[in-house]
Amino acid sequence: LVQALGELRPTARACLLLKVVSELEYAQIGQVLGIPEGTAMSHVHRARRALRERLGGDSGASRAVGEAT
C-alpha cells in the first residue's frame, strides 16, 4: 500500500489522504490545497481507482483506500 501510494501524483495522494485519513470534506480539501472542490473529488476518485488497480482490485484493497463495501 505504501509503495502504491508513493506512485500516485502528489496532489492526488494528498487529496486521498486528507479524505481517508483526516476525514475532510471535499470543500475542506479544496481549501487546504487551494484547488476547486470538484477537482479534489476527481483526484480522490482517480487515486482510489489507481490504488485498486495496483493492489489487485479485491475488496480488501477497497477497504484500504477508504471505500465502503
Side-chain angles (χ1 to χ4, degrees), residues 15 25-31 35-46:
C15 287
E25 298 295 326
Y26 293 112
Q28 295 171 305
I29 295 168
Q31 289 175 347
I35 60 175
E37 179 179 349
T39 302
M41 192 178 303
S42 294
H43 280 302
V44 170
H45 174 75
R46 283 189 236 119

Side-chain angles (χ1 to χ4, degrees), residues 11-59:
T11 304
R13 181 174 51 246
C15 287
L16 180 65
L17 292 176
L18 288 170
K19 182 67 178 165
V20 175
V21 177
S22 298
E23 299 181 343
L24 296 184
E25 298 295 326
Y26 293 112
Q28 295 171 305
I29 295 168
Q31 289 175 347
V32 168
L33 298 178
I35 60 175
E37 179 179 349
T39 302
M41 192 178 303
S42 294
H43 280 302
V44 170
H45 174 75
R46 283 189 236 119
R48 282 179 169 156
R49 183 176 57 208
L51 287 180
R52 227 181 355 262
E53 289 170 3
R54 286 181 175 93
L55 297 174
D58 65 9
S59 60

Side-chain angles (χ1 to χ4, degrees), residues 56-68:
D58 65 9
S59 60
S62 294
R63 284 191 300 278
V65 295
E67 293 183 2

